[in-house]
Amino acid sequence: MSTVTATALQSAYPPIIPLQFNANQPTTIRLYPLSNYTFGVKETQPEEDPSVIARLKRLEEHYNVHGMRRTCEGILVCHEHNHPHILMLQIANAFFKLPGDYLKPEDDEVDGFKARLDERLAPVGRLGEDEEAADWTIGDCLAQWWRPNFETFMYPFIPAHVTRPKECKKLYFIQLPESKVLSVPKNMKLLAVPLFELYDNTARYGPQLSAIPHLLSRYNFEFVDEDGKIVAATPGSAPDDYVPQTKVLAGGDEDMKDLKEENGTN
């Protein structure tokens, strides 16, 4: 049997060193761990409309008086095991949405958006003693979705035949601080949904939410631990034994007692 020597495995050609690939790098966003944030519940916020038909009827009434409705929603990002998670509301254990809502006709866009975020997520009572009203850092507008008619469908563009869209929804990146207290209405759940779960999952989350991983791909991320140290950065990966999954953080009426069981905690 012949023996293969070490020299026989060596190539006569030198290795090809690729050129640098860091010109015009994306903006780097610092993400803090989910454990840095405190979550609570507050009074129920009943839905304004009992049905989809009623919601579209109210939209039509708004349009007839004030014109196109303006809606703002926030993409709030933290991390768990060095994987980005999106804070998201779940209503009636079925419907998912981002924090935010339509603006009042007289509202300034950013100030009105901050007020809507407060309605959904600002704490009340003792939890809110150290929190200031409208304490949100509004970042880039990552997407615009348009409602061409009084129907449920929205598009990331205005169809060519539409000259008067009925609603414009903007999705803003919200830079979360190092720590924050957040409270969700009792009739809703606040979830931390990993990008892994959202990606290409229109069947569960719909086209707007499942597109969030694409929207966030414009950024690089730094993942910070509880001590404020950078423990990972893009590119990077989570520990091999960790599988990203959605976590229920707060809310859900009587479901609260099942919260720890659902997350596998005591």
Side-chain angles (χ1 to χ4, degrees), residues 51-253:
S51 66
V52 174
I53 294 177
R55 185 170 77 246
L56 295 177
K57 179 63 176 177
R58 185 161 56 85
L59 172 63
E60 185 173 0
E61 293 171 352
H62 178 282
Y63 181 83
N64 290 335
V65 177
H66 304 289
M68 184 187 72
R69 172 182 283 177
R70 302 170 301 151
T71 297
C72 293
E73 294 182 347
I75 299 177
L76 287 69
V77 192
C78 57
H79 80 86
E80 178 85 343
H81 292 277
N82 304 334
H83 184 80
H85 284 58
I86 308 300
L87 299 188
M88 192 176 299
L89 297 169
Q90 185 182 26
I91 303 172
N93 292 321
F95 179 66
F96 300 93
K97 73 184 301 292
L98 295 171
D101 214 326
Y102 65 88
L103 305 182
K104 297 178 181 179
E106 67 275 12
D107 281 350
D108 170 81
E109 182 172 329
V110 173
D111 290 341
F113 181 29
K114 289 181 178 181
R116 282 308 208 178
L117 287 174
D118 275 351
E119 287 179 17
R120 286 291 192 236
L121 295 179
V124 295
R126 289 195 328 117
L127 282 179
E129 288 179 354
D130 297 326
E131 296 284 321
E132 296 181 5
D135 185 19
W136 302 96
T137 301
I138 309 299
D140 296 329
C141 179
L142 300 182
Q144 294 184 102
W145 288 80
W146 302 88
R147 192 187 305 275
N149 298 300
F150 300 115
E151 56 189 20
T152 57
F153 298 107
M154 297 190 78
Y155 302 88
F157 54 86
I158 301 177
H161 65 282
V162 174
T163 58
R164 297 180 179 179
K166 306 307 184 283
E167 181 178 3
C168 176
K169 178 189 289 186
K170 292 186 178 182
L171 304 186
Y172 279 97
F173 181 84
I174 305 296
Q175 179 69 61
L176 284 173
E178 186 172 356
S179 63
K180 193 172 180 65
V181 179
L182 301 170
S183 290
V184 64
K186 289 191 294 185
N187 57 316
M188 303 179 188
K189 288 181 180 178
L190 183 61
L191 310 176
V193 184
L195 292 189
F196 176 85
E197 169 71 15
L198 288 173
Y199 177 68
D200 200 26
N201 198 352
T202 56
R204 179 170 175 80
Y205 294 101
Q208 295 177 35
L209 300 181
S210 62
I212 289 176
H214 295 274
L215 302 177
L216 294 180
S217 69
R218 65 184 294 180
Y219 298 119
N220 282 333
F221 293 112
E222 290 179 344
F223 303 97
V224 180
D225 64 12
E226 294 179 350
D227 297 323
K229 298 179 180 178
I230 299 174
V231 293
T234 304
S237 61
D240 293 339
D241 59 349
Y242 174 70
V243 178
Q245 59 183 342
T246 298
K247 286 194 170 186
V248 181
L249 306 175
D253 283 328

Side-chain angles (χ1 to χ4, degrees), residues 243-261:
V243 178
Q245 59 183 342
T246 298
K247 286 194 170 186
V248 181
L249 306 175
D253 283 328
E254 287 77 20
D255 295 334
M256 282 302 294
K257 73 176 185 177
D258 301 326
L259 176 63
K260 293 182 179 179
E261 297 179 7

